[in-house]
Amino acid sequence: MSTNLPIPPKTTSIPARNATNDNLFAAVDIGTNSFKLLIVRADPSTGRFLAVDRFKERVLLGLDTTTTTTTSATISTASLLRATTALRNFQKLLQSRRVPSSHSRFVATSAVREASNQSQFLQSIDETLGLKVDVLSGLEEARLIYQGILQFHPVHDRTVLTIDIGGGSTEFVIGKEGNILFSISLALGHVTLAQKFPQVTEMREHIKFIIRASGLKEKVKLYDIDNVIGSSGTILGILRRRFSMAMQVHVECIFEENKRDWSFTADELKGLVEMLSKEERSGGKVRKQSFFKKSLKFVVAGAVLLEEIFEELKLEEMEVSGYALGEGVIAEKLGEAFDNYDPRANARWRSIVRLGTRFNNKQRMKSAALCFSVAKEMFDGLKNRHELGNGSDGFVVSVEDKDLEFLEAACLLQKIGLCVGKKGYHKQSYHIIMNGDHLHGYNDTEVKLIALLVRHHRKKLPEYDDVVPDELTEEMRGKFRILCAILRVSAAVEKLQLANIDNVEFSHTCEGYKLVLEAGNLPFPGNELPSVEDFEAELGAELEHFRMVFLERLSIAVTSSTSA
């Protein structure tokens, strides 16, 4: 059973020692401040990916560089040792998780790019660890950051200005439909600025000079920008600080607050810079630890840099991406590995997961994962049988792979209305989906279909002629009928709270369809498994609804994976 869920299913099998996991991909970002390892699990049928491991090593590669000329610096021996240790740790992690070597890429950015001893650094890493590192040009780094942002934000069709602040440089990209319209890399990074300019006033003057000399402002004016999106740890840190300054916990505020939870305004940024500068002058809460004092200086430098960028480019608000360079490297790897890779699929899915995790706690997300496990097996079984010409007349229309995406969305979002209360929560879930502009990359009809599935996953059975509005086409009405029948059974099974479902099988016999749930650690009274009759008594309405739609009977059974 392949679930492709935000919560990976439990597995009981152990791969062979030398086997590789062909669905795992990895990217290593060798930055000026930190080295980052990202490992993702990809769905080969869609190209969507989910981060399964993230690791970060604070190497500070550019911290103790020694200047050799007026324009370049040398990576010190101490920095090389820290880099080698971090990369050796990453290498061991990749090997322990059996990531194929062809599915990983190591990339270096500003600190290595600008180093006078770049070749010696790369040679040492190769000889010591056997690793090949690609040194990205500023333009290539900017392009990959843009590709990473497209995996997080559904802005493929919009003209977007992306800004990524690193330790040694800041990348600016204007892109649309996956193409780069303009890009530039400026030698402005939060680590180098903090080192060179102890005084904020001098730092600001230097930033202004570099931006104005680059002609960036004039270039940006040539384009009609739809969205401004920031990425990297510096900008994510600013977003977190914004949350801590203006946290809203009241129920009546939750909808308004969540409309812009991944953004901040120029005024919010200004207030944050003032707060950080004051904290730095007072020594901060971690005054006794010199390392963290340095870290605070970096944070202040990054915030000041971003504030000057806002001022020079006359920006009013910035959205924030949780993805950046690492995800861009992953996306490029997936494009090489999968023929039918859809670069937009991940951004659509991310908007579903973001909405689900925003209103659901961890337990409800696990329940949603179980619901989709059941729904996917039923969907695949019914679809395959219909395509082979053996399906019943219940399929008034054909379903496609994208319809499974709608079903998955409904599974993940069915309980978000519980944030208001248990009574009628399915109706509240419907209103959140329809009124919040939360789902991105879907057209109005597709959003309506997802919302209707959520609205009718429980309680009163849908009367299709009444509940499906005229704005849906006849084809979409047919899809709703099929997907709703599947979802209602899946949601009803999940509601029974069966423990530790290890496998789901959906098949067809001469007696009709059969859904078998294989579970371990069964906490049933007397350790007895529920019978087919037990399910029919508990889920009678949903099973009858399934029979009405697909014109065949469905029976459900549970088996124990621990029994002889």
Side-chain angles (χ1 to χ4, degrees), residues 27-190:
V28 175
D29 172 7
I30 300 174
T32 302
N33 186 36
S34 303
F35 288 13
K36 302 172 186 176
L37 167 61
L38 168 64
I39 302 176
V40 307
R41 177 179 290 110
D43 176 3
S45 64
T46 64
R48 298 185 320 186
F49 60 86
L50 172 73
V52 294
D53 278 313
R54 290 182 185 271
F55 301 95
K56 182 177 179 180
E57 293 270 4
R58 185 66 64 85
V59 176
L60 296 174
L61 193 60
L63 180 62
D64 54 354
T65 54
T66 55
T67 302
T68 56
T69 70
T70 57
T71 59
S72 62
T74 301
I75 297 174
S76 68
T77 301
S79 291
L80 175 59
L81 290 174
R82 291 196 301 271
T84 302
T85 300
L87 292 176
R88 179 180 288 111
N89 292 338
F90 287 174
Q91 187 179 45
K92 291 179 180 178
L93 289 166
L94 291 172
Q95 291 171 349
S96 68
R97 284 151 178 77
R98 296 177 293 277
V99 180
S101 58
S102 61
H103 286 190
S104 61
R105 186 184 182 192
F106 291 69
V107 298
T109 56
S110 176
V112 179
R113 181 167 64 234
E114 304 298 332
S116 61
N117 61 338
Q118 176 193 126
S119 59
Q120 293 94 322
F121 175 84
L122 298 177
Q123 183 179 355
S124 177
I125 296 299
D126 186 10
E127 292 177 351
T128 305
L129 303 175
L131 296 176
K132 303 295 182 181
V133 176
D134 297 327
V135 180
L136 302 177
S137 68
L139 298 182
E140 179 69 1
E141 181 181 354
R143 183 186 68 80
L144 288 172
I145 290 169
Y146 172 56
Q147 291 299 324
I149 287 173
L150 288 181
Q151 305 304 306
F152 192 87
H153 282 284
V155 291
H156 186 272
D157 298 326
R158 302 177 189 177
T159 303
V160 180
L161 168 63
T162 69
I163 301 171
D164 185 281
I165 296 177
S169 64
T170 297
E171 274 58 52
F172 300 83
V173 174
I174 297 176
K176 184 176 183 180
E177 297 179 348
N179 299 313
I180 305 298
L181 305 179
F182 165 77
S183 67
I184 189 171
S185 177
L186 300 184
L188 295 169
H190 64 271

Side-chain angles (χ1 to χ4, degrees), residues 207-501:
I207 294 169
K208 286 185 174 71
F209 174 78
I210 295 296
I211 292 177
R212 292 172 183 177
S214 70
L216 175 64
K217 183 177 179 180
E218 292 73 22
K219 287 290 187 181
V220 171
K221 282 184 177 179
L222 298 176
Y223 300 92
D224 186 11
I225 304 298
D226 297 314
N227 300 76
V228 178
I229 301 177
S231 61
S232 79
T234 298
I235 293 178
L236 280 170
I238 290 172
L239 179 69
R240 295 188 192 100
R241 290 275 186 163
R242 195 271 287 178
F243 267 132
S244 66
M245 291 173 64
M247 181 61 67
Q248 300 290 336
V249 296
H250 300 294
V251 173
E252 59 268 25
C253 298
I254 192 168
F255 294 106
E256 182 63 28
E257 179 65 17
N258 280 321
K259 287 182 180 178
R260 43 189 303 277
D261 62 344
W262 285 91
S263 66
F264 53 83
T265 65
D267 287 341
E268 288 170 336
L269 177 60
K270 182 178 180 181
L272 176 61
V273 173
E274 292 175 354
M275 182 194 74
L276 288 172
S277 298
K278 182 178 179 180
E279 185 179 345
E280 184 192 15
R281 287 193 298 271
S282 66
K285 296 179 181 180
V286 286
R287 187 171 188 170
K288 295 181 180 180
Q289 301 185 42
S290 60
F291 177 81
F292 288 101
K293 286 176 64 179
K294 292 177 181 176
S295 296
L296 181 57
K297 288 184 179 181
F298 298 158
V299 174
V300 172
V304 169
L305 171 56
L306 187 59
E307 186 181 23
E308 290 299 325
I309 292 172
F310 263 63
E311 178 66 26
E312 291 296 313
L313 300 184
K314 306 301 180 185
L315 304 180
E316 297 180 358
E317 186 173 10
M318 169 176 280
E319 298 175 65
V320 179
S321 171
Y323 289 179
L325 177 61
E327 287 78 10
V329 173
I330 293 291
E332 194 165 79
K333 278 290 181 183
L334 295 179
E336 296 171 359
F338 302 141
D339 294 335
N340 299 319
Y341 175 66
D342 180 3
R344 306 187 197 190
N346 210 65
R348 290 196 303 268
W349 184 55
R350 284 295 311 172
S351 71
I352 297 291
V353 174
R354 280 202 299 271
L355 181 57
T357 54
R358 180 180 301 168
F359 292 103
N360 287 331
N361 57 29
K362 186 175 181 180
Q363 183 56 48
R364 287 206 291 268
M365 287 303 289
K366 287 184 176 180
S367 297
L370 171 60
C371 181
F372 182 60
S373 295
V374 177
K376 184 180 187 301
E377 288 302 305
M378 293 177 63
F379 177 92
D380 289 342
L382 289 163
K383 177 175 176 289
N384 293 338
R385 180 168 166 76
H386 176 69
E387 290 176 347
L388 292 173
N390 299 322
S392 68
D393 293 335
F395 268 83
V396 293
V397 297
S398 296
V399 291
E400 304 169 333
D401 289 339
K402 189 172 183 179
D403 298 322
L404 181 61
E405 193 175 323
F406 303 143
L407 185 60
E408 179 181 23
C411 289
L412 296 181
L413 303 180
Q414 58 176 310
K415 293 185 178 181
I416 58 177
L418 283 170
C419 67
V420 178
K422 289 184 178 181
K423 185 176 180 180
Y425 73 82
H426 54 300
K427 298 178 183 178
Q428 295 297 335
S429 300
Y430 170 87
H431 290 303
I432 293 173
I433 295 170
M434 290 299 298
N435 300 322
D437 190 27
H438 301 294
L439 306 190
H440 305 296
Y442 298 95
N443 61 40
D444 292 342
T445 301
E446 292 169 341
V447 172
K448 186 71 174 182
L449 174 61
I450 294 170
L452 283 170
L453 288 170
V454 168
R455 166 68 177 79
H456 295 286
H457 83 274
R458 66 190 289 264
K459 293 294 185 179
K460 185 180 178 181
L461 292 170
E463 297 177 4
Y464 299 102
D465 292 336
D466 296 330
V467 300
V468 183
D470 293 337
E471 62 198 62
L472 293 186
T473 64
E474 188 67 29
E475 181 182 16
M476 293 299 278
R477 289 159 68 95
K479 290 179 185 294
F480 169 74
R481 186 171 183 265
I482 293 169
L483 298 179
C484 188
I486 295 172
L487 178 60
R488 287 185 69 96
V489 171
S490 305
V493 169
E494 178 272 318
K495 189 177 179 181
L496 296 177
Q497 298 182 339
L498 302 174
N500 297 329
I501 298 299

